[in-house]
Amino acid sequence: MTGADLRDRVAGMVSTATDGEVSTEEILAAGGSLAALGVGSLAVLRLIDALDDELGVQLDLDVPGTHLDDFDDLVRTVQERAVRDD
């Protein structure tokens, strides 16, 4: 999966985790803080589950280096962990 494909997929997963309250387009355009876009803690938990279920990437909020607020950092973290887990 290319970086752009992964970015699109993760943005879609974030949007789904918010029940569509934040659109994929908004996430891709902003590319920054998910909290600033209105992504709350429940949506983050849903996103963590979706990343594990769909991409096999496990993220733990208690582990240093787990970046979940900044979208671009999140995509990089997912990409790094997906490659490491392969």
Side-chain angles (χ1 to χ4, degrees), residues 9-66:
R9 183 140 183 216
V10 172
M13 293 169 76
V14 173
S15 180
T16 299
T18 67
D19 292 326
E21 289 182 26
V22 181
S23 72
T24 301
E25 293 77 19
E26 290 175 294
I27 296 162
L28 291 171
S33 171
L34 295 175
L37 288 171
V39 178
S41 58
L42 180 58
V44 169
L45 293 175
R46 289 179 181 165
L47 175 62
I48 289 171
D49 285 342
L51 289 168
D52 186 16
D53 292 346
E54 294 181 33
L55 301 177
V57 174
Q58 295 182 351
L59 299 177
D60 186 345
L61 295 174
D62 295 328
V63 174
T66 301

